[in-house]
Amino acid sequence: PVLGDRIRRCVAEHAFEVNEDLKITVTCSIGLAEYPLFRDAQQQLGWEAMIEIADAALYWAKHNGRDAWAVLRPTATTDLSSLPGKFQLGAQALIESGQLTVVSSLGQGTAAATE
């Protein structure tokens, strides 16, 4: 969360120079993946699965407010070995089914977010 907020804040505060006369500010959405996922003592998930998790977290942040960071974490009931194959269902479906939980900079204002 500290790294996600630092990146998000730095992008939002920076004026990007388009040309000599035009500077713009932008925001970003960030998906983070924590490695190894807790409870993943054998590090079952490879880098490809971690990219899928970060990508799903990015899209969660975009669909739930933008200008935010999000981390998807497994719950106590998550079967980590089958998790990568379930991402085609979408992150929100995995959150609603209790397979993932969200930690996000969006805080309490987003129903699925927890801090």
Side-chain angles (χ1 to χ4, degrees):
V2 172
L3 180 59
D5 200 49
R6 184 184 319 163
I7 294 168
R8 188 203 58 76
R9 188 177 53 251
C10 285
V11 170
E13 291 173 354
H14 183 77
F16 291 88
E17 188 174 319
V18 176
N19 59 40
E20 288 182 16
D21 301 324
L22 180 62
K23 290 184 179 181
I24 61 170
T25 58
V26 296
T27 61
C28 65
S29 297
I30 302 164
L32 302 171
E34 300 168 322
Y35 187 81
L37 290 175
F38 58 93
R39 294 193 319 106
D40 186 20
Q42 292 87 23
Q43 299 178 354
Q44 303 169 0
L45 302 178
W47 68 268
E48 298 95 342
M50 300 309 295
I51 296 294
E52 286 186 55
I53 292 169
D55 191 53
L58 165 66
Y59 282 100
W60 187 94
K62 286 180 175 278
H63 292 295
N64 288 280
R66 302 173 98 67
D67 189 24
W69 57 263
V71 176
L72 300 180
R73 292 180 175 163
T75 65
T77 60
T78 303
D79 176 11
L80 290 175
S81 63
S82 67
L83 188 60
K86 294 180 180 178
F87 279 104
Q88 71 271 13
L89 301 173
Q92 193 61 41
L94 293 172
I95 293 163
E96 290 170 3
S97 71
Q99 292 294 301
L100 296 174
T101 188
V102 180
V103 176
S104 171
S105 61
L106 296 171
Q108 304 286 36
T110 304
T114 61
E115 287 201 304

